[in-house]
Amino acid sequence: MAQQQHYLWWQSGIVYQIYPRSFQDSNNDGVGDLEGIISRLDYLKWLGITAVWVSPIYPSPMADFGYDISDYCGIHPLFGTMDDFDRLLKEVHARDMKLILDLVPNHTSNEHPWFLESRSSRDNPKRDWYIWEDPNKDGSEPNNWMAVFGGTAWEWDEKTEQYYYHAFLKEQPDLNWRNPEVQKAMFDVMRFWLDKGVDGFRVDVMWHMIKDKQLRDNPPNPDYNESQSTYQKVIPAFSTDQPEVHEIVAMMRDVMDEYDERVMIGEIYLPIHQLVSYYGINNQGTHLPFNFILITLDWDAGIIKSHIDEYEGALPQGGWPNWVIGNHDKPRITSRVGDSQAKVAGMLLLTLRGTPTMYYGDELGMRDVPIPPDQIQDPQGLNMPEKDLSRDPARTPMQWDKTKNAGFTEGEPWLPLPANFKRMNVEVQRNEPYSMLTFYHRLIELRQKEQALHVGSYLPVTAKPPLLAYIREHENRRFLIILNLSHKPCVFRPEHQTYSGTVVLATDPERENSNLKGNFSLSGDEGLVMRLDQ
Ligand code: GLC
């Protein structure tokens, strides 16, 4: 196989996700905004990341905090104006970074003019832009599909006496992607932003975009238990991941390919072998189908290792890997694996082969913040209160400094700050040699500097759990990464091989510059990056 020589920015670089409500407020209304992001770009540049992905900033009634869009080509006044956006894009580019927007093509807001028209009458020209169905003969819903945020996925429309389908909230009706007019409208939205110069899209719920044409019932989930979301009562075999989705993705890719070096990242929660099909035939699908292995698996070296290898093995030729460790929908990594493992997790994310996506605040070790029940805002939490599914705890304001509200706002923040923000913030950690932020900063610097770490090959190394080990190699520079995924010390005993080298980065910097050879021991929660002797 010929070695790929030229790597694009989205292959060699690092993506950083900003949840705009929570990054930086500039007008003290308690909600972050574009001006706020602009004021923090120097921090992101210092941190060393390549691209910023910003969750939705468009006009929206905010039923799902921006993922219910009422105008795809505007900016919500809460976040600023189109002039602010243009300035953001210019300032990002001026710092030699990239800007990725969130595209939400699966559904609109129920207040989007398209839906208002569609629901106005059965013979409205946009009726077929959404998924309308007659009730069954007994008046019941067309099928048993469930909504991700609780309850049924069908909403009755009194006026026109049909149900419409919504995979998420009833305020988020699903578009009918079988309709060519819908396709064209969304491709035009993409072009609107690409013409402005945005560097790509993260595409929301890509695997939901087409549903079974016959709307067949989903099979019941035999493993369902009451603590799970009601969505999991059935297996979404007919409501998601339909074969026709790949035609849609390929068409979206064609639009991306009208422009130079833009990236399309697909949000897809599927098992590895289904996930990799989204690269498309001849890699003409999405550039990066988000790989959520590190978010969804138990923190167990054996399980993670087997999935890394399965993923590497399942990738199509020329398909570029990627890794994610946190996002605005899932508990933060520190809250999943604990403070003591958080550096190990960061080292894993930033040394695996493939584009890493970081989530704002993880570089500080920010934890999920407890939200009093009467202050919960996330609809997923509110709709199924007894199940503790609120995503608010992972969406709290970025902790910048020790002033009021951690420097996020002088107003009332939309979600609370944790009690410890005076010591857990950028300003304090930047000056501490052993802080999480300093660790991330150095890790990013090393990754960006060493080709072996950003584009090098991946070679699994046999190590007994709780250790996870692998080599990254490029043009005779070889790095051995060893991670202890447990709290207890253990010994690295490589089989059939002797490795010798120098530690160039460690979770405990005191270990750096030491030369290691043969069998050696690691302390609990320790991670090492070793430059191997030739
Ligand atoms: C995606 C988003 C999530 C949103 C949902 C519906 O999963 O990441 O935040 O609620 O889609 O748009």
Side-chain angles (χ1 to χ4, degrees):
M1 192 176 82
Q3 188 78 29
Q4 188 179 1
Q5 289 303 330
H6 175 62
Y7 296 93
L8 300 168
W9 63 268
W10 54 264
Q11 297 178 306
S12 57
I14 300 170
V15 180
Y16 182 98
Q17 181 190 358
I18 288 179
Y19 195 64
R21 295 181 69 87
S22 301
F23 202 58
Q24 178 66 59
D25 180 17
S26 74
N27 60 356
N28 298 325
D29 63 358
V31 175
D33 45 47
L34 300 183
E35 183 64 49
I37 298 176
I38 295 172
S39 72
R40 295 298 187 180
L41 289 177
D42 287 338
Y43 164 74
L44 297 176
K45 185 67 190 168
W46 168 82
L47 186 60
I49 55 103
T50 312
V52 184
W53 150 36
V54 187
S55 285
I57 48 177
Y58 318 103
S60 159
M62 295 283 171
D64 187 20
F65 294 110
Y67 283 93
D68 49 319
I69 297 171
S70 52
D71 173 5
Y72 284 96
C73 298
I75 300 294
H76 196 301
L78 201 56
F79 296 126
T81 62
M82 193 56 90
D83 281 349
D84 294 333
F85 174 80
D86 291 339
R87 214 150 36 81
L88 171 65
L89 184 60
K90 206 171 119 223
E91 295 291 338
V92 167
H93 285 166
R95 286 166 181 77
D96 203 20
M97 296 191 290
K98 307 285 183 184
L99 186 64
I100 298 171
L101 289 187
D102 218 305
L103 183 77
V104 188
N106 177 69
H107 45 267
T108 67
S109 159
N110 62 339
E111 293 182 25
H112 194 293
W114 297 341
F115 188 69
L116 296 179
E117 274 194 56
S118 183
R119 82 181 309 174
S120 66
S121 76
R122 283 202 190 197
D123 53 14
N124 182 278
K126 288 204 171 56
R127 183 66 172 182
D128 184 53
W129 279 40
Y130 293 82
I131 300 169
W132 292 99
E133 269 305 299
D134 287 332
N136 291 323
K137 289 209 176 65
D138 63 359
S140 62
E141 293 157 11
N143 64 23
N144 69 352
W145 295 0
M146 304 296 288
V148 175
F149 294 150
T152 160
W154 295 98
E155 180 69 10
W156 179 245
D157 182 56
E158 280 298 339
K159 185 171 169 219
T160 58
E161 298 193 319
Q162 276 190 317
Y163 285 99
Y164 67 85
Y165 174 70
H166 58 90
F168 295 88
L169 296 174
K170 66 177 180 350
E171 291 84 3
Q172 294 167 296
D174 279 47
L175 283 161
N176 173 17
W177 268 86
R178 294 178 188 276
N179 182 321
E181 290 173 22
V182 168
Q183 297 170 4
K184 176 166 184 313
M186 200 57 72
F187 300 154
D188 286 346
V189 168
M190 293 170 72
R191 290 190 187 98
F192 174 83
W193 295 104
L194 293 167
D195 283 341
K196 274 187 176 288
V198 307
D199 299 287
F201 299 109
R202 171 269 189 189
V203 181
D204 194 63
V205 298
M206 189 178 258
W207 84 115
H208 273 264
M209 286 177 67
I210 289 250
K211 351 287 167 190
D212 178 46
K213 201 166 186 178
Q214 301 171 55
L215 301 178
R216 284 170 282 184
D217 270 349
N218 278 327
N221 175 4
D223 300 324
Y224 178 72
N225 72 64
E226 289 297 327
S227 70
Q228 292 175 312
S229 158
T230 49
Y231 179 65
Q232 278 159 291
K233 282 186 176 172
V234 293
I235 295 169
F238 290 107
S239 50
T240 63
D241 193 33
Q242 297 302 293
E244 301 96 312
V245 72
H246 298 292
E247 291 161 32
I248 299 302
V249 174
M251 285 194 267
M252 292 172 79
R253 172 62 180 271
D254 285 344
V255 176
M256 303 301 293
D257 286 348
E258 292 167 16
Y259 301 80
D260 282 347
E261 293 201 10
R262 312 295 167 98
V263 69
M264 179 161 74
I265 309 175
E267 186 207 16
I268 301 155
Y269 284 90
L270 285 175
I272 291 171
H273 282 81
Q274 282 158 275
L275 177 70
V276 295
S277 67
Y278 284 75
Y279 284 100
I281 296 167
N282 296 327
N283 289 310
Q284 283 305 302
T286 193
H287 296 101
L288 298 175
F290 258 151
N291 163 13
F292 294 126
I293 292 175
L294 300 180
I295 285 194
T296 47
L297 291 179
D298 287 346
W299 200 247
D300 172 286
I303 295 176
I304 291 180
K305 180 185 162 31
S306 65
H307 282 78
I308 295 172
D309 293 350
E310 183 186 341
Y311 179 64
E312 279 279 348
L315 286 169
Q317 191 173 340
W320 190 255
N322 77 92
W323 300 92
V324 187
I325 213 152
N327 63 32
H328 63 296
D329 294 325
K330 303 289 176 195
R332 283 188 181 272
I333 181 69
T334 318
S335 294
R336 283 194 290 124
V337 305
D339 291 342
S340 59
Q341 273 287 306
K343 284 186 180 173
V344 170
M347 196 175 257
L348 178 63
L349 173 74
L350 287 152
T351 58
L352 282 170
R353 188 177 81 93
T355 310
T357 299
M358 299 170 52
Y359 184 51
Y360 83 95
D362 281 354
E363 73 274 25
L364 304 175
M366 267 173 68
R367 281 191 230 152
D368 283 358
V369 176
I371 310 291
D374 60 344
Q375 287 175 38
I376 294 177
Q377 310 210 27
D378 175 29
Q380 179 168 267
L382 292 171
N383 290 356
M384 293 174 276
E386 67 294 350
K387 305 201 182 203
D388 284 333
L389 295 172
S390 168
R391 297 168 294 178
D392 293 337
R395 297 175 172 182
T396 59
M398 178 71 172
Q399 296 157 210
W400 294 105
D401 58 39
K402 54 180 182 300
T403 64
K404 190 181 172 198
N405 300 320
F408 166 70
T409 183
E410 285 177 21
E412 192 55 42
W414 78 286
L415 285 174
L417 275 298
N420 66 3
F421 77 79
K422 291 201 169 126
R423 55 191 162 87
M424 288 282 289
N425 62 58
V426 171
E427 190 185 45
V428 166
Q429 290 198 17
R430 240 175 125 146
N431 299 316
E432 275 178 4
Y434 304 112
S435 70
M436 181 67 93
L437 182 58
T438 301
F439 172 74
Y440 258 94
H441 184 230
R442 296 182 57 229
L443 184 58
I444 290 170
E445 194 176 39
L446 178 69
R447 180 190 169 95
Q448 299 280 38
K449 184 177 85 190
E450 288 293 347
Q451 280 207 301
L453 292 177
H454 56 253
V455 296
S457 59
Y458 161 88
L459 202 78
V461 167
T462 310
K464 288 207 177 69
L467 292 180
L468 185 62
Y470 45 89
I471 288 174
R472 301 292 312 283
E473 176 172 3
H474 186 78
E475 289 174 356
N476 297 326
R477 272 177 95 77
R478 301 205 306 150
F479 291 85
L480 171 63
I481 293 99
I482 314 172
L483 304 166
N484 182 353
L485 268 65
S486 80
H487 307 314
K488 294 186 192 150
C490 58
V491 180
F492 176 62
R493 288 190 188 85
E495 287 173 21
H496 319 298
Q497 285 276 356
T498 303
Y499 298 106
S500 68
T502 309
V503 177
V504 290
L505 191 83
T507 45
D508 287 329
E510 290 85 347
R511 283 278 259 188
E512 289 167 15
N513 300 318
S514 52
N515 297 314
L516 298 176
K517 186 173 179 173
N519 294 351
F520 44 86
S521 51
L522 278 88
S523 54
D525 304 306
E526 181 159 51
L528 305 175
V529 179
M530 273 171 68
R531 164 109 203 264
L532 293 178
D533 304 330
Q534 290 311 315

